[in-house]
Amino acid sequence: MKILRITLLALTALSFAATAGCGFRDIDKRFFVIAMGIDPADQGAKGYKITLRLAVPSPKVEPGAGNNQVVTMEATSIAEAVRLLKAHVDKEFDFGHCKLFAVGEKLARRDYTDILRWLTRRRDVQSIAYVAIGQPDAASILKVEPKSERYPGNTLFLMFGKDGTQSSYLVPVYLFDFIRRYREHGIDPVLPLIRADKDGYAITRLGVLNKSKLMETLTPGETETYSQIRNQDAKSTVAAVKNGNTMVINVDHIATHFKIANENGEYVLRLWLNVSGIFEEAPLGVYEEDWNQLEALFNQQIASEIKKLFKKMQQAAVDPFGFGLRYRATHPGTEQTWKDWQNLYPDLKFDIKVRVEIEGTGLVK
Amino acid sequence: MLNRIGTLFAESRDLTLDRLQNDSLIIEVAYISTLCDESKVSDFILVPFTKQEHPFEDLVKRNPSFKRLDDPAKWGDTLLHGFVLLQLNGMVYKLDAARIIRNENPQTMVETVIMGPQISLSEDLIDSINIVRSRYPSEELAVEERTVGTISKTRMLLVYDKHRVDATVLGLIRAKLERISDPFYTATGELVRSLGDRYRLFPSMMVTERPDRVCSAIEDGKVIVLLQGSMFAIILPSTFFDFLHAVDDDYDSFWMTRAMITLRYFAVVLTITLPALYVAIMSYNPELFRVQLTFSIAGSRSAVPYPSFVEVFIMLFMIESLIEASVRLPKYIGSTATTVGGLILGQAAQQAGLVSSIMIIVTSVVAISNFVIPVNNMSTAIRFLKYPLIVPAIFFGISGVTFGVFCYLVYLADLRSFGKPYFRIFGRRQSQSSDVGQVGR
C-alpha cells in the first residue's frame, strides 16, 4: 500500500515535467522583447521583415536610463525570422513582456491574417498585448527612442495602458480582442494607427479593418466618436458650433445603447446617446443663454456627425461597432440570419437620438 | 532496612542512613539529604523523637503525612523522589520532604503578550497546579498523576475537566502513555515526540508556558500534560487554527485582532512559498511581474553569477544561521550577531554581486513572517516547510510550486490530532459537538 502510494506520487511528479514550460533560464539570461514590428519583406519578396525592440535592463531607474536594442530580420515566416534572430543575440528571447505588436501599414492594407497564425500559437505571447498599425511601417515605430523613458518601452506602455495618459483619440486594442473580432461574424477589428513623432509617438487615428485587410482610417474626431459610442469613454469632449464660436463640453457621464428595429419591412438602427457634462470652452455670457436651445444645437450637430461616421462604415462594408453581432444575438442562430444581415446592412437606415445635458458653465457665477 | 538500602544504592555520599534511639524506641531513618529539606526531617522526625513530649508511635500513626510503604521494591524510587523512609516497630513509613530547586514565579519568556497574565507555569508540578487551579476553580478539574521514563521516572500530571473532556481522546492519550518506553524525559518536547509527533511536518500538540492558554484549553475540553521539571505544558488535541491564535486575540480590540489573524495566515503562506516562488518566477515565469519590476530585477540580477536557486540557498543558509546563532548566543552578544548578520552581511552580499537586492527582501520577508506565528513549535515546523517546496520550483516552475502547496494541503487535511481533524480551521467548537468517526492513527 505504501509502495503504491509512493509510486503514484512519483508518477504524478514526473508528469509535471511534461507540463512545465520552457527550461530553467534565469531572468537575467533572457532578452525581454518589448515591442515587435511586422512588415512585409522588402522589394516585394515573399515573407516578412520582423523588427524586435529588446530591453537592456539596468538596475538604475531614472529618466533616460532605458536602453534598447533593435534587431531586424527578413524571413519567409515569422517563426523562422525569430529563430534566425536568436543567432544574432546572446540571450533567449522572451515575449512575456511584449506589450505591442505593430503591424506595418502596407501589410495591413494587403492582408494581415497570416500573422495571426503565429500570434495565436506562440506560447509566451500574451493575450493582453496591444496591437496597432505602424505608419508608414512598423520598423520606424520601433526605432523611436523617447528621451524621457525611465525604462525601456515605458512610453508605449503608458500610452496604451490606463496608468499614464488617457486620450480619447487612442483606442487601445488588445490582442485577444483583435483575434475575437477577426473570428466573430458581425463585428470587425479596429486598430490604432501609430506615427513616429520626433522623439515620441502620435496615436490619434483609428484604422478600421475587415476580416482580411485595412479598409478605412478614421479622423481624430471620428476616432473620438467611435470611442464614445463603443467604449462609452467618459474622458472625452463633445463640440458644437454656434455663430462661428466653438463650444466644447467636457463629458462627465456618457451612455449609449442601440437597437435594430424592423419598421414596415425596413430595418432601422436606433442609437441613443446621453451625454452630460460642463462647458470646457464657451463664449462669455453662455450662462444667460437658453440652455435648452444650446442643448438642441449640440444634439443636432452630434447626431449628424455620428450619422456621417455610420454611413462611412456602411460604405466601406465594415462593422466595427458590432451591429451585426447584435442582430445575430437577437435573431435565430442559423446561417440564414447571418446571410440576412449581410444583405440588409448596406441598406440599413440610421436613426440617432442624442440628448446632451449641460450641467454647468464651468464657472462659479 | 538500612542494610538493604545501603546495598541498593551505589556509593553516594548524600545518602543518609541513621539509626536513632530514645528511652523506649529504636527507629531507622533513611533519606537522600540533597533531595530533602533537612528542616522538615528534623521538625517531623528528629525533634519529636528526641523530645518525647508525646509517644512517637502515636504521632506517626496520627499524622497523615506519614504513609505506610510495605513493598521493599519501591524503597529506592521513593527515596529518589525526595521521600524520607522511617522504620518503626518493623513497619516502614514514608514522608514527603522533597526540596525542589526551581525558578521562582517565572515570567513568560517564549510567548509574551502585552495585556494578559505575565506569569508562566512553574517548573514544579505543585506550583503549576496551584496556578492552574486558582485560574480554573472548578470541582470538575481532574488531576491524574503518572510517571514517564524507565530511568527518569519523571512525574507527570494529566489535567482535564472531567465534564468537558472527550472520553475517546482521553482514552487514546492514556493508551499512548502506557506504550511509551523511552528511558529519559527532561523536557516536554521529548514527550511530544514520543506521543506520536516525531515525523509529522506539523505539530499536533501545542507546547505552551501560558497559564491562560492552558485554562482556556481545559475549558474547551482538552487534556493538559504537565511534566516535572519543565515549565511548558502540552495541550492536546490541537488544531491548526489553535497554533495561529495568540492569546492576545481574546484580549485586544476585536477588529484589529481579526485583522491580525488574517495577517498571520497570509504570513504563513508567504514564509512557506516565497523562496520557491522566487526561483519559479526568476527562472520560469518572469512575465508574472509588472514590467518595471521585471526590468529592475533583471538589472540587479545581472551581476549574480549563480542560478536563482543557488542564490536562494545562499541567503536562506545565512538567515537560518543567523536565527540559530541568536538563539544559541548569550543574550548580551545576541544583538551583535543580528546587527552584523542582518545589516552588514546582507548589504555586502548584494553589493558584492553574490545575491540580487530582491533576494535580500525575500529573505527578510520570509524570516519576519515566520516570527509572526505565535506558538513556537509551530513556528519551527513552518520554518522547515519552505525547503521541500524549492525542489519542485527548480524543476517545474510555478506549476511545481502549486503542486507542492497542494501536497501540503492534502497532507494537512489528512492529519489527525488524537482523533480530531487537524485542519479544521474554524475549530473552536465544544468537544461535545465535535465530529465523530475519525480515529487517530
Side-chain angles (χ1 to χ4, degrees), chain A residues 25-27 30 97 151, chain B residues 282-283 290 292 294 301 307:
Chain A
R25 185 161 283 111
D26 281 323
I27 194 166
R30 296 171 191 239
H97 280 296
Y151 58 86
Chain B
M282 280 307 120
S283 305
R290 293 206 78 164
Q292 291 93 319
T294 311
R301 243 203 77 88

Side-chain angles (χ1 to χ4, degrees), chain B residues 98-114:
Chain B
R99 178 173 66 97
I100 287 156
I101 297 170
R102 55 162 191 272
N103 46 359
E104 286 289 330
N105 292 342
Q107 300 284 306
T108 49
M109 298 287 286
V110 179
E111 232 188 305
T112 50
V113 295
I114 296 170

Side-chain angles (χ1 to χ4, degrees), chain A residues 318-332:
Chain A
V318 286
D319 184 6
F321 292 97
F323 297 143
L325 196 63
R326 173 67 61 86
Y327 182 82
R328 285 177 63 213
T330 50
H331 289 79

Side-chain angles (χ1 to χ4, degrees), chain A residues 184-303:
Chain A
E184 187 72 84
H185 285 318
I187 186 162
D188 286 326
V190 290
L191 289 178
L193 293 159
I194 308 186
R195 275 183 295 118
D197 181 20
K198 277 183 234 154
D199 282 334
Y201 309 95
I203 312 169
T204 52
R205 300 158 79 94
L206 196 65
V208 183
L209 299 86
N210 69 4
K211 301 293 182 199
S212 65
K213 55 181 187 260
L214 179 66
M215 295 302 287
E216 193 70 67
T217 53
L218 303 185
T219 63
E222 287 167 340
T223 305
E224 187 176 28
T225 311
Y226 172 84
S227 172
Q228 282 169 341
I229 294 169
R230 178 70 198 170
N231 300 337
Q232 315 207 340
D233 182 4
K235 294 238 168 15
S236 59
T237 54
V238 286
V241 182
K242 189 193 177 196
N243 307 334
N245 289 325
T246 309
M247 291 182 291
V248 180
I249 289 179
N250 184 34
V251 174
D252 269 344
H253 177 80
I254 189 163
T256 57
H257 61 109
F258 63 86
K259 205 173 173 180
I260 298 159
N262 188 346
E263 276 178 3
N264 313 325
E266 248 190 355
Y267 277 92
V268 179
L269 183 121
R270 290 187 202 286
L271 179 111
W272 288 268
L273 174 72
N274 293 339
V275 178
S276 62
I278 53 175
F279 275 113
E280 198 169 79
E281 192 179 330
L284 277 176
V286 76
Y287 184 80
E288 275 77 30
E289 285 185 44
D290 185 359
W291 284 11
N292 286 330
Q293 276 182 16
L294 286 178
E295 282 171 0
L297 194 73
F298 270 99
N299 292 349
Q300 181 222 329
Q301 293 193 6
I302 295 166

Side-chain angles (χ1 to χ4, degrees), chain B residues 292-398:
Chain B
Q292 291 93 319
L293 199 56
T294 311
F295 290 156
S296 83
I297 293 173
S300 84
R301 243 203 77 88
S302 54
V304 182
Y306 298 110
S308 57
F309 60 92
V310 176
E311 192 188 355
V312 166
F313 281 129
I314 291 174
M315 276 321 277
L316 286 184
F317 169 76
M318 264 173 50
I319 195 81
E320 293 289 0
S321 322
L322 201 66
I323 296 169
E324 186 62 14
S326 46
V327 175
R328 300 295 154 225
L329 275 175
K331 265 178 208 155
Y332 312 102
I333 323 178
S335 56
T336 326
T338 41
T339 317
V340 171
L343 288 169
I344 301 170
L345 226 54
Q347 185 70 21
Q350 192 248 322
Q351 276 175 3
L354 203 58
V355 294
S356 68
S357 46
I358 301 292
M359 190 58 222
I360 305 273
I361 300 172
V362 168
T363 321
S364 6
V365 169
V366 165
I368 292 167
S369 37
N370 200 88
F371 298 143
V372 167
I373 302 160
V375 181
N376 191 262
N377 59 336
M378 182 51 117
S379 172
T380 324
I382 294 276
R383 227 168 100 188
F384 174 72
L385 291 179
K386 55 181 174 279
Y387 295 104
L389 215 52
I390 298 177
V391 177
I394 292 171
F395 291 105
F396 311 121
I398 289 274

Side-chain angles (χ1 to χ4, degrees), chain B residues 78-123:
Chain B
T78 322
L79 282 176
L80 285 171
H81 278 124
F83 285 82
V84 180
L85 291 189
L86 169 81
Q87 195 184 40
L88 175 74
N89 296 337
M91 279 192 285
V92 178
Y93 296 88
K94 64 173 181 179
L95 169 74
D96 189 352
R99 178 173 66 97
I100 287 156
I101 297 170
R102 55 162 191 272
N103 46 359
E104 286 289 330
N105 292 342
Q107 300 284 306
T108 49
M109 298 287 286
V110 179
E111 232 188 305
T112 50
V113 295
I114 296 170
M115 286 182 290
Q118 301 293 329
I119 197 167
S120 74
L121 291 172
S122 168
E123 293 190 343

Side-chain angles (χ1 to χ4, degrees), chain B residues 24-315:
Chain B
S24 54
L25 278 172
I26 297 176
I27 59 166
E28 287 179 348
V29 181
Y31 58 96
I32 298 172
S33 56
T34 44
L35 283 180
C36 293
D37 190 349
E38 301 228 28
S39 68
K40 228 172 176 179
V41 180
S42 73
D43 283 356
F44 276 86
I45 299 170
L46 304 181
V47 174
F49 184 72
T50 44
K51 274 193 176 171
Q52 299 185 53
E53 285 170 351
H54 299 282
F56 187 70
E57 218 175 332
D58 289 358
L59 215 67
V60 171
K61 272 185 189 155
R62 284 185 198 140
N63 191 340
S65 300
F66 292 96
K67 291 193 185 80
R68 287 283 296 276
L69 182 73
D70 293 326
D71 184 5
K74 284 189 180 159
W75 288 354
D77 286 351
T78 322
L79 282 176
L80 285 171
H81 278 124
F83 285 82
V84 180
L85 291 189
L86 169 81
Q87 195 184 40
L88 175 74
N89 296 337
M91 279 192 285
V92 178
Y93 296 88
K94 64 173 181 179
L95 169 74
D96 189 352
R99 178 173 66 97
I100 287 156
I101 297 170
R102 55 162 191 272
N103 46 359
E104 286 289 330
N105 292 342
Q107 300 284 306
T108 49
M109 298 287 286
V110 179
E111 232 188 305
T112 50
V113 295
I114 296 170
M115 286 182 290
Q118 301 293 329
I119 197 167
S120 74
L121 291 172
S122 168
E123 293 190 343
D124 182 35
L125 282 182
I126 314 275
D127 288 7
S128 291
I129 288 293
N130 181 317
I131 293 169
V132 173
R133 267 210 191 273
S134 59
R135 277 160 204 275
Y136 198 82
S138 159
E139 61 271 31
E140 303 286 352
L141 194 74
V143 180
E144 257 178 52
E145 182 165 347
R146 286 159 183 271
T147 56
V148 285
T150 50
I151 293 177
S152 69
K153 301 239 168 21
T154 316
R155 286 163 70 201
M156 189 205 84
L157 295 181
L158 282 184
V159 185
Y160 52 86
D161 188 307
K162 198 176 69 188
H163 207 72
R164 293 168 184 264
V165 76
D166 189 323
T168 50
V169 172
L170 193 60
L172 269 169
I173 293 167
R174 282 185 185 141
K176 272 200 173 157
L177 283 172
E178 293 297 330
R179 247 182 285 143
I180 59 176
S181 59
D182 283 17
F184 242 87
Y185 287 97
T186 48
T188 35
E190 290 172 300
L191 194 59
V192 167
R193 281 197 188 179
S194 301
L195 282 174
D197 248 5
R198 191 174 298 248
Y199 299 115
R200 289 191 174 182
L201 287 179
F202 295 92
S204 62
M205 292 163 236
M206 191 186 288
V207 177
T208 183
E209 56 171 357
R210 299 201 58 82
D212 48 349
R213 204 187 260 283
V214 165
C215 290
S216 68
I218 296 176
E219 193 251 320
D220 283 346
K222 294 180 177 174
V223 181
I224 312 298
V225 176
L226 295 166
L227 200 68
Q228 173 72 40
S230 170
M231 57 190 283
F232 296 94
I234 309 176
I235 301 176
L236 29 93
S238 297
T239 63
F240 187 75
F241 174 82
D242 296 339
F243 286 98
L244 293 186
H245 179 93
V247 277
D248 292 45
D249 294 349
D250 297 335
Y251 305 153
D252 286 346
S253 141
F254 178 81
W255 291 112
M256 196 57 216
T257 52
R258 294 312 102 168
M260 279 315 192
I261 292 173
T262 322
L263 179 133
R264 269 180 228 133
Y265 282 96
F266 193 61
V268 166
V269 173
L270 270 189
T271 191
I272 294 175
T273 57
L274 211 55
L277 279 180
Y278 179 80
V279 173
I281 294 174
M282 280 307 120
S283 305
Y284 284 93
N285 308 81
E287 62 269 16
L288 224 71
F289 287 137
R290 293 206 78 164
V291 62
Q292 291 93 319
L293 199 56
T294 311
F295 290 156
S296 83
I297 293 173
S300 84
R301 243 203 77 88
S302 54
V304 182
Y306 298 110
S308 57
F309 60 92
V310 176
E311 192 188 355
V312 166
F313 281 129
I314 291 174
M315 276 321 277

